Structure formats: C-alpha cells, structure tokens
Amino acid sequence: MQSLIPLFLIAGAAVGVEIALTRFFAVASWSEYGYWVISIAMTGFAVSGVVMVLGRQVFLRHARWLLPLLPIAMLAVGGAGWIAATLNAFNPLELQNPATAEGQLVNIALYYAALFPFFFLAGLAVSLNFVVHAGEVGRVYGYDLLGAGTGAVLALVLMFVLHPFMLVPGLLPLLAVATMISGGMRWRIAALLVLAATEAAVFGLAAPKVNEFKAIYAPLNVPDSRVVAELLSPRGVYQLLDNFTERLDTDVSNNAGVLGVPAPPRSFGLYRDGSRIAALPNGQPEAAHAPASLDGAPYALLEAPRVLVLGGAGGFRAAEALALGASHVTVIEPEPVLRDALLNGIGPSPAPAADPRVVVSAAHPLTAAGAYDLVDIAGDFLAADDQNRNVYTAEALAGFLARLAPDGIISVPIGIRELPVYAVRVLATAREALRLAGVAEPTRHVAVIRSAWNLRVLIARQPFDEARVQRLAAFADERSFDLSYAPGLAVEGREIWNDLPPISLESSTVDQSGGAQDAVAREAEQVLAGTPPEDAFDRSAVTADRPWLSPLVRLPALGAALARIEILPQQEIGLLVNVAVLAQAVVLALLVSLLPLLARGALRVPLPVLGRALVYFPALGLGFLMIEIAFIEHAALLLGDRTSGFALVLTTMLVFSGIGAMWAGRVAAPVRALRLAVLVALGCAGLALLGIRPAVLAALDLPWAARVVVLVLALAPISLALGFPFPLGLDRFQQEGPALLPWAWALNGAFSVVATPLANLLGHGMGLSWLLVAGMICYTGALLSWPRKRQ
C-alpha cells in the first residue's frame, strides 16, 4: 500500500497548485484567466500520456529511479514556473488594443511555457504509476483521485490562513515528502536540499502583484491611503481601504445643489480580490443625499412602503430607504462579510445603530417570505457577489412579484456605462417574469428611469396608470434623469438629459444624429412586446437555467467582436478566452487522437480496437467534466459561494470516484459492473435534471454545515458510479495491447481540456440542464463502445 502514497501526494500537489494558480489570476488580474490554468494542466497530462506511449519501455526500465525523481523535478520546475508567472508583465486591457495585443499574446505564451512543465511532469508521474502497476489499475486510479480530492481540500483550508500569493509555495513541500517516501536516504537528502533551494528562490525572486488596471490599484496608491482591515478566506481577499477618494457610490442628480441635497458621504471602500464590492460607513450611515438619487424613483410612487432591501451596503441602503419614507425595512445581505458588517461592523467601520424599523434577515433572497410594497435591489448588489446574479433571473423576479402588495413594485438596477444592451436584457427578463406571473400585457407593467451611467427597471404588479407615469416623469425631470420607457409615454419629441447613443458591433462608428439619444428607449417597447431586434447581442431573458447577464455577444458574432474588441467590457472578454482555449484544446485532442496512426508500431493493436478507444476514453473525459461543472454551478448557489462550491464538488466527486475506482479493481464481472455503474450515473443525472433546482431552493435556508452535508450525500452515489468506467476501460483495453494504457490516459486528459471551455460555452449559451444531458450522452456512448469479447 505504501508504494502508492507518493502518487497520492503528487496528485494532491498538482490539483492544489492548479487551484492556487486560479486564485492568483483572480487576485492579480481577472478570474476568467483561470481557464488558462485548467487548460495548461490538462494539456500537460495529455502530452505526458503521448510521451509515455512513445517511450513506454524506456520509462519502465528506469522506473526505479524515475519514481522518486519526478516529484523532485516537479518541485524545482514548479518553483521556477511560479517565479516566471509572477514576473510576467501580462496586462488584460492591452489585449483590447490592436497596437499592444501582440505583446500580450507573447505574455500568454510565456505563461504556458512557465507552467506547462510542472503539469507535464505530474502527468508523467501518474501515467508511469499506471504502467508500473498495470495489474492494479483500479487501485492506482483510486489513489490518484483520492490524492487530487485531498489536494483540493488542503488548498481550500490554506486560503483561510495564507494570502493567495503564498499558496503555491505552501503546497510545494508535498512533493518533497513524496520523494522522501518513494526513495532511500540519498533521495531524502536530495529532496530536502531541492525544497530549501526552491523555497529560497521563490521568496527571493517571485514578485506577485496586483495589476494596475484593477479597481483597487489607484485608491491603494493615493497619498495617505491605508488598509484598515484585511480578511482571508476561500471567497477572496477582503481589504477595507481608507482614503480621500472613497465615497458612497450612488447615482445622484446633477441638480442636487439646487434641490438643497448634499453629496454622498465619505466612506470606507471594501474590496474583494481587488474589485470594489461596497462602501462601508465611516461612522453611522448618512442618507441626506437620498432624495436626489436615482434609487429613490420607486419611493416617489409609494406611501410609507414596507420595503425588502436586497444588499445592505453596510447600512447605507436601509438608511436611504428610511430617508425616502419607508415605514419598515427588511434587509437581506447574502454576502457573508457584508452581512457581518451589518451586524458587527468591520475594523473601524461600525455596525449601524439598532432601529426598530429595520430588520436584518438571515433568509436567502430567493426564499424570503413576507409581503412588501417594494422589493428594492441595491445598486451594488449584482457586483457584490457572483451568486447574486441568481436574483436577476425571470423565476426570481416572478417570485418577488408574488410577494408584493397589489400596488407593489420591484426596482432592479443595472449599469449602462459600458453597454446599454445589459439594460435591454434586464427588460427581456422582466417581461418573462411578468409572463410567469400570469400577466397578459407586460408592456403596461414596466417603467425605465436612468441617468447617464445607471438605470432602474421598475416592475409593477398592477399596470402603471397615467397618474403614476406623471409622478415618475416629474421625479425624473426635476433631477435631470431620463424616463426611457413608461406605458403611454411617447418616445419621440421629448427632451433627453443624458445622451446614450447605441453601440453596435456591426458598425465601426457610433451613431451621432445631431441630438441626444436614448438607446434603451429605442428598444424597450420592442423587447417588452416580445419582438427584440436581432444583431450580435443576445437579448434573451436571464433564467434560472442560464443565470448570467453576460456575455452578451452571440457565438456567430465572434468575428465582429474580435474586430471591435476595444469597445467590449471586461466581462465580455471571458467569452473570447473560452473560445480561444477551446480552439487550442481541439487541436491538442486531434493530435493525441491521431497518435495511433502515426505510431501504429508502438501500439500494436487492431484498428477496430483503436476506434472503440477513440470513443470510450474521450467520452469519459467529456462526460465527467460536463456533469461536474453543472453540479459546481448548482453547488455555488446552494453554498452561496463559487469557490466553496467548486472545491466541495471537486473534492466529493474525486474522493467518491476514487473509492469507486478501487472497488472496480476488485469486481469479477467487469461488463456487468460497467453497465450497472453507467445506469446508476444516468439515473442520478436524470433525477438531477428534473429536481435539482427545487431541491437547492428547499435547502437554501439550512445552516451552512447542513447544506454541505446535503451536497456530499447528493453527490456520493453518482460520483461512486462515475469512478468505475475509467479503470474498467483501462484494464480491458490494455488486454488488447499494453501501450493503450498511457494512450488512454492521454485521450482522457486531452478531451478534459476540451470539456472545460466547451461546458462553459454550452452552459452560457443553452443552459445548465444541457450540461447534464451532454454528460448523459457521453456515458451512454462510452457504454456502447465497450470492446467486444476477445476471440
């Protein structure tokens, strides 16, 4: 048993470093670039299998010293790769400028050059263990998966005590331990020396830093700026800044002085991973500015409303609601650090004073009970946490409509400073929510008011009558806001205070027809009537199955997006990164798949067997990742955090799949075991397809630990079943030729590279349900391609 413990440690170090590198990209640049890490890792595993196919006999002859050497080599190249990655001058903003893009493409290539050797050696170590222990495939695969799951948990735990820039150095010692276990005294001394030299080089030469384009960079570097509180967690690095630039970020009228209203107050700025998520009060929250704010629009239509506020903004939002006439305010803050700020304060920012009119609820926004006159979503709510996007779905808005009093309103904010089409998509979602609520004429239940930078969509349970429209128009005119849409409001012939020209990927110029324009007003009535314009941008409703406002660019319009990449906001670049990674992955997968045609002598197996292997192992690589990514998205909603959801789904599926793999190595009837395992997996996926959404909603208000237990119990059966097909396939196919074993490992790795970007594109484009369907199709294909009985 002890001989496979080094494999356990190598797999743990590889997955732990992979997660640590994704956190590095999230803090130093943008989380979208974490896809590169996954791509680099799986590419390394795939190429290692190819090399093992071509040099299998050489590796077997030298396995005795290669097994302890490989983890030492990983340690050395891992440290060197980390140093190179931190010194890389990559700047994502320069990708959007044709004059500077070429240099950034070189920097991306340098990331690959720096990090590929580590994952290549990790894959080589795993595939060598498969070759050396060819008679114990299930056990080897089990140790590999269990080690990977343990590495994911270790990385998650270390995030509570180590800054993301320290995670990679903190995980590298696992590799020294692997060598010390697998080798004799000389290897142990060598491992300690290499570890000491590597860590010394890392701490002396590595220079991880936050890129200057991050939101935190400028305020962090103004005179007298101070970080007055810091919190480390898997959710991110939280920093509370105090400097003269920090103010409550709310949209206030240019006429505030005429109205006798002061500017928004000074505040602290709370940043997570370098992005600003909220303003926290410097003292007790002030709200004298509220009557001049865009957020005050729905309050002008209601008398002493009972308000459900989503997103507390450290107490500012409740104070604003009271200043605008609310009789009672229920605040729900899903982001745990911001919720703790409301209850206990953070650092020098105090908790708001108790007020009998304000209640901080522990309920989830999607399950909160009660009747309200106004559901008011805070302006910074969407940016405060990735999972808050689930509130912007048609199903969620329909649920809020059901909680409203007869004359109640939902107020939904969205930024328009980058692309007005985001607001149009919110309008499409509002229409679908009204349709779900049984409203026959959505056009009469929606109004849109905006400034130059932000917009509020007001969704009413009852149709907007003429009196309400007039009150809203008076509110807008007095503050120089624009009423972009309201029932019965003429689009033409009215004064526009804030110019908002339309942006198109089809045109290289901005339409300037001489006067001020309102891009949202042009499209609002069409979208609400169900006949949106058709161009490069997606204007479909955001749903629970597709809970993303971005990307907006349709896949057929990628060429136009690349041609006008300079006008696209950062969140749209993630789509382009996905497509680029997918294109690279497909090329790699084709190269690995074609290897048998180039090296038939190395494989020495019949073409029909190769054909079946070309279906079986790619199907497993694609299917496992499709199902895993679908569960990660649902787990992120269940746990309220993508990092925790990712780590726990990854850990649970790897650990139980590892147990399944070990079990598979002991079965006497592999064909029957495979059929049963695939049927169990298909049954579990089918149940998830039908019931996962209501199950998640039913569990949202359970304690966090209870939700973790529910998640693990739900994932255990399908994960156990998914552990069977790969080791059973390895064992069966290698009977046709031993060289198929490392090639199968390469195929699985290559198509796992394809699976990650493909799953992201499929999920965003068609929905999470299609990921489960795709996974089920893949495992059915694997079952059908099982090799026939040898003659």
Side-chain angles (χ1 to χ4, degrees):
M1 296 290 286
Q2 191 182 35
S3 62
L4 289 179
I5 292 178
L7 172 63
F8 177 92
L9 294 170
I10 290 168
V15 170
V17 168
E18 183 179 350
I19 293 173
L21 288 169
T22 62
R23 288 293 300 129
F24 162 69
F25 276 102
V27 176
S29 56
W30 284 89
S31 57
E32 287 93 337
Y33 300 105
Y35 293 135
W36 290 341
V37 179
I38 299 171
S39 170
I40 295 167
M42 300 311 297
T43 300
F45 296 154
V47 174
S48 70
V50 172
V51 171
M52 186 61 66
V53 169
L54 298 176
R56 182 175 176 275
Q57 295 303 320
V58 175
F59 283 108
L60 264 177
R61 282 199 302 271
H62 301 291
R64 184 173 181 179
W65 59 267
L66 280 173
L67 288 173
L69 175 65
L70 285 172
I72 284 188
M74 285 177 65
L75 174 59
V77 301
W82 170 245
I83 293 169
T86 64
L87 296 176
N88 193 312
F90 174 68
N91 188 331
L93 290 186
E94 293 188 4
L95 279 174
Q96 295 179 257
N97 185 339
T100 57
E102 185 175 344
Q104 295 309 315
L105 293 177
V106 172
N107 286 333
I108 293 171
L110 291 175
Y111 276 133
Y112 275 75
L115 302 176
F116 171 82
F118 176 84
F119 294 107
F120 168 74
L121 292 176
L124 206 61
V126 174
S127 57
L128 181 58
N129 272 278
F130 273 120
V131 170
V132 171
H133 303 280
E136 302 177 281
V137 167
R139 185 164 160 252
V140 173
Y141 190 53
Y143 268 81
D144 175 38
L145 293 183
L146 289 171
T150 304
V153 172
L154 179 60
L156 189 70
V157 171
L158 287 177
M159 289 179 201
F160 284 104
V161 293
L162 294 180
H163 190 281
F165 293 168
M166 299 296 295
L167 286 174
V168 170
L171 290 162
L172 290 177
L174 291 175
L175 298 166
V177 177
T179 290
M180 294 171 72
I181 292 173
S182 60
M185 182 58 67
R186 291 183 178 179
W187 285 112
R188 293 170 190 168
I189 294 172
L192 290 174
L193 291 174
V194 173
L195 176 63
T198 300
E199 295 287 10
V202 164
F203 286 106
L205 300 175
K209 60 184 181 298
V210 175
N211 197 288
E212 60 267 22
F213 81 91
K214 296 280 279 192
I216 197 173
Y217 185 85
L220 195 60
N221 289 280
V222 300
D224 301 321
S225 181
R226 296 182 302 139
V227 177
V228 294
E230 185 173 78
L231 174 67
L232 300 177
S233 83
R235 297 183 67 90
V237 178
Y238 293 84
Q239 293 173 297
L240 190 66
L241 263 60
D242 181 19
N243 60 68
F244 74 88
T245 69
E246 298 293 349
R247 285 188 174 274
L248 176 63
D249 186 14
T250 189
D251 218 336
V252 174
S253 166
N254 293 332
N255 302 341
V258 176
L259 296 171
V261 174
R266 283 278 306 275
S267 70
F268 296 109
L270 183 64
Y271 295 78
R272 184 183 59 233
D273 288 350
S275 298
R276 195 173 193 268
I277 63 170
L280 297 188
N282 190 343
Q284 286 302 306
E286 302 173 19
H289 63 280
S293 69
L294 180 69
D295 301 346
Y299 294 85
L301 307 179
L302 299 166
E303 285 291 331
R306 296 160 298 163
V307 182
L308 174 63
V309 167
L310 304 183
F316 278 118
R317 196 67 196 124
E320 290 170 338
L322 293 174
L324 291 166
S327 60
H328 188 272
V329 181
T330 300
V331 181
I332 294 181
E333 179 53 80
E335 215 287 336
V337 173
L338 288 174
R339 183 169 61 248
D340 189 59
L342 287 174
L343 299 174
N344 306 304
I346 296 178
S349 178
D355 188 315
R357 298 170 295 174
V358 178
V359 173
V360 179
S361 171
H364 193 277
L366 299 182
T367 60
Y372 304 95
D373 301 300
L374 173 62
V375 176
D376 186 11
I377 303 175
D380 58 5
F381 181 77
L382 188 60
D385 190 83
D386 177 63
Q387 292 310 304
N388 288 349
R389 58 185 163 80
N390 290 283
V391 169
Y392 276 65
T393 64
E395 292 85 347
L397 295 179
F400 294 138
L401 280 168
R403 297 173 212 169
L404 289 178
D407 62 346
I409 295 173
I410 304 171
S411 179
V412 185
I414 189 70
I416 54 174
R417 69 183 66 198
E418 293 177 314
L419 277 179
V421 187
Y422 288 118
V424 176
R425 194 165 190 199
V426 172
L427 281 172
T429 306
R431 179 185 185 276
E432 179 64 13
L434 288 162
R435 191 193 65 79
L436 292 174
V439 173
E441 297 182 77
T443 56
R444 300 177 59 206
H445 292 255
V446 176
V448 179
I449 186 171
R450 68 172 183 86
S451 68
W453 309 114
N454 297 290
L455 176 147
R456 285 260 169 187
V457 177
L458 306 183
I459 311 168
R461 186 166 181 179
Q462 298 294 333
F464 280 97
D465 56 24
E466 185 178 351
R468 272 193 166 184
V469 172
Q470 289 178 354
R471 286 163 66 185
L472 197 56
F475 175 91
D477 288 341
E478 188 176 15
R479 292 158 181 79
S480 296
F481 296 140
D482 290 292
L483 191 57
S484 293
Y485 175 83
L489 183 73
V491 176
E492 304 296 335
R494 57 187 177 83
E495 186 168 7
I496 296 175
W497 298 102
N498 305 280
D499 189 26
L500 185 64
I503 295 176
S504 169
L505 293 184
E506 286 82 0
S507 173
S508 59
T509 60
V510 175
D511 180 15
Q512 295 287 359
S513 54
Q517 301 177 79
D518 191 333
V520 175
R522 288 186 176 189
E523 298 187 19
E525 191 159 3
Q526 291 176 275
V527 170
L528 290 171
T531 56
E534 293 187 7
D535 58 16
F537 294 123
D538 181 7
R539 291 172 176 82
S540 62
V542 179
T543 66
D545 203 45
R546 294 177 62 215
W548 297 278
L549 266 171
S550 62
L552 287 173
V553 177
R554 299 179 188 272
L555 284 177
L558 282 178
L562 287 170
R564 301 209 63 203
I565 192 172
E566 71 280 358
I567 71 168
L568 294 177
Q570 182 65 44
Q571 55 264 39
E572 296 298 315
I573 304 303
L575 171 72
L576 304 181
V577 172
N578 256 304
V579 172
V581 171
L582 178 60
Q584 164 204 286
V586 169
V587 171
L588 172 69
L590 289 174
L591 289 175
V592 172
S593 302
L594 292 173
L595 175 67
L597 302 178
L598 304 176
R600 285 288 307 282
L603 290 174
R604 296 192 182 93
V605 291
L607 277 176
V609 176
L610 291 182
R612 289 179 174 272
L614 272 172
V615 175
Y616 189 87
F617 294 105
L620 297 185
L622 289 168
F624 191 95
L625 266 293
M626 292 286 181
I627 292 171
E628 182 181 65
I629 289 172
F631 283 136
I632 285 171
E633 294 299 335
H634 290 294
L637 173 59
L638 176 66
L639 301 179
D641 171 38
R642 183 174 178 79
T643 302
S644 298
F646 173 81
L648 285 169
V649 170
L650 184 67
T651 300
T652 303
M653 292 192 70
L654 288 175
V655 168
F656 280 94
S657 294
I659 295 171
M662 290 184 171
W663 190 357
R666 301 176 182 177
V667 297
V671 178
R672 186 182 304 169
L674 177 71
R675 290 173 180 167
L676 181 60
V678 171
L679 286 175
V680 169
L682 293 178
C684 291
L687 288 174
L689 195 63
L690 296 174
I692 193 167
R693 176 73 181 182
V696 168
L697 291 177
L700 280 177
D701 288 329
L702 293 175
W704 193 84
R707 281 178 275 152
V708 169
V709 172
V710 168
L711 178 64
V712 172
L713 292 177
L715 289 176
I718 190 170
S719 303
L720 196 69
L722 294 180
F724 275 72
F726 191 69
L728 288 176
L730 287 179
D731 189 58
R732 178 65 185 87
F733 275 96
Q734 74 164 336
Q735 295 174 24
E736 306 287 350
L740 272 177
L741 197 150
W743 181 59
W745 169 255
L747 279 175
N748 188 264
F751 281 88
S752 295
V753 182
V754 173
T756 302
L758 181 60
N760 276 287
L761 292 172
L762 184 62
H764 281 76
M766 299 180 66
L768 297 175
S769 298
W770 283 98
L771 294 183
L772 289 172
V773 171
M776 294 168 72
I777 292 172
C778 287
Y779 275 94
T780 302
L783 180 61
L784 294 175
S785 64
W786 178 260
R788 296 170 182 170
K789 187 175 180 181
R790 285 186 73 180
Q791 299 300 317

